[in-house]
Amino acid sequence: MSVRRLAAVQPEDFEFTQDNLQWAERQIAKYPEGRQASAVIPLLWKAQEQHHGWLPEPAIRRVAEMLGMPVIRVMEVATFYTMFNLEPVGEHFVQLCGTTPCMLRGANALKDVCRKVIGEQRHVTGDGKLSWLEVECLGACANAPMVQINYDYYEDLDPENFETLLEDLRAGRAVRTGSQTGRSCSAPLGGDTTLTDETLYDGSRVGKWRKRFDETSAPGDATEPTSEGRPAELSRPEAKTSKGKQDAEALPDAGGAKPSEAKAPRRSAKKTDGEG
């Protein structure tokens, strides 16, 4: 695990904007008294979002003050989770997946593009537009190689379309998120090979199935439910003899007597004193 330290150059102070402060107070209010520390991650994330994508030390102190936590406890959270950037990043922060599936599909060539267009890792371009960092798996292995830039995924990259993507971002031109080859979600590169019949999912087959089911359901079929979801009365043999009485009273026991008769207490045959 890499050593994570705060940036050498820090701002003098940090305060949430009024909107973000109200948002933070709502997060804190979700937790009972004495448990406000549970809001530490959302507050740190909002502070990073407000401060140009990275988390300064004054923001860590401010969050600790708001939650009544020792500063060192908030510092432990901020330095443990790699989702928090502890030093400045570019306006477009490129996180490049370098784990096995992406590496096998050409991630190393994408690193070369980053070094060419941006520079080494953690370096911010002079115009403040771009910086990059190699990260662990981002969970889009079927569309490798890929990168995450701020909150969006860019997939099916190669050196040519990736360099074009970075230059478009730097110039402020509109870009397309997701697959850069036009692939639909995680479908095969050559196009869909299964579930290509639209009637499988457009509802038409379901309607036909329901019609067949209604036609073949016999009137006394036990699978035919009532409006309450129970089997219909006419499908229960015991209901025909009960005539509205409870089932337990309608069914005889093995000796031919009704349950109510079988359970009736018997009078003792033993005579007591004073009886004739």
Side-chain angles (χ1 to χ4, degrees):
M1 187 174 184
S2 61
V3 177
R4 288 168 50 78
R5 296 189 175 91
L6 299 179
V9 179
Q10 295 283 336
E12 293 184 2
D13 56 19
F14 174 89
E15 289 292 339
F16 281 113
T17 64
Q18 190 61 36
D19 288 344
N20 286 345
L21 180 60
Q22 292 176 0
W23 180 92
E25 290 172 347
R26 290 196 298 271
Q27 304 310 305
I28 297 171
K30 293 179 180 179
Y31 303 97
E33 187 65 30
R35 301 291 183 182
Q36 289 83 1
S38 298
V40 63
I41 288 181
L43 264 63
L44 287 175
W45 182 258
K46 183 59 72 173
Q48 172 171 283
E49 189 179 65
Q50 176 180 313
H51 194 74
H52 315 296
W54 70 285
L55 192 62
E57 189 270 342
I60 294 173
R61 286 190 281 107
R62 179 66 180 125
V63 169
E65 178 184 343
M66 293 176 65
L67 299 178
M69 296 174 64
V71 175
I72 187 60
R73 298 295 293 172
V74 182
M75 189 75 72
E76 289 171 348
V77 174
T79 56
F80 179 81
Y81 291 103
T82 56
M83 61 190 279
F84 297 120
N85 302 313
L86 303 180
E87 55 191 356
V89 297
E91 179 182 334
H92 305 286
F93 176 46
V94 180
Q95 298 179 77
L96 191 155
C97 179
T99 43
T100 305
C102 282
M103 182 270 292
L104 292 174
R105 295 281 294 168
N108 287 337
L110 301 187
K111 296 178 191 178
D112 293 336
V113 173
C114 284
R115 295 186 182 99
K116 171 185 175 183
V117 176
I118 304 173
E120 293 300 324
Q121 293 190 59
R122 297 184 173 85
H123 169 75
V124 181
T125 56
D127 56 10
K129 294 293 185 179
L130 297 169
S131 68
W132 75 284
L133 183 69
E134 180 180 352
V135 298
E136 297 301 320
C137 183
L138 290 170
C141 305
N143 302 69
M146 57 82 62
V147 301
Q148 178 181 343
I149 304 178
N150 296 348
Y151 300 117
D152 295 314
Y153 276 14
Y154 298 84
E155 306 156 345
D156 297 322
L157 297 169
D158 58 42
E160 290 74 25
N161 62 28
F162 183 44
E163 184 170 350
T164 299
L165 172 65
L166 294 180
E167 294 295 351
D168 286 344
L169 288 171
R170 168 178 269 166
R173 291 188 288 266
V175 297
R176 178 178 60 188
T177 59
S179 173
Q180 300 301 295
T181 61
R183 188 207 306 227
S184 174
C185 300
S186 297
L189 284 174
D192 296 339
T193 58
T194 60
L195 302 178
T196 56
D197 184 355
E198 292 185 1
T199 62
L200 292 172
Y201 50 84
D202 66 3
S204 60
R205 289 202 176 192
V206 174
K208 294 178 181 178
W209 170 85
R210 183 65 194 179
K211 183 178 180 181
R212 292 197 304 271
F213 180 81
D214 291 339
E215 291 174 349
T216 57
S217 294
D221 192 344
T223 61
E224 183 177 346
T226 65
S227 60
E228 299 175 350
R230 298 193 299 271
E233 288 293 316
L234 52 81
S235 66
R236 299 165 54 215
E238 68 274 16
K240 299 177 182 178
T241 59
S242 66
K243 295 182 180 180
K245 296 182 179 180
Q246 295 182 356
D247 293 348
E249 295 179 355
L251 292 174
D253 64 5
K258 291 183 179 180
S260 58
E261 296 173 349
K263 295 181 180 179
R266 296 182 180 180
R267 184 176 180 180
S268 174
K270 183 178 180 181
K271 294 183 179 181
T272 60
D273 295 341
E275 290 184 344

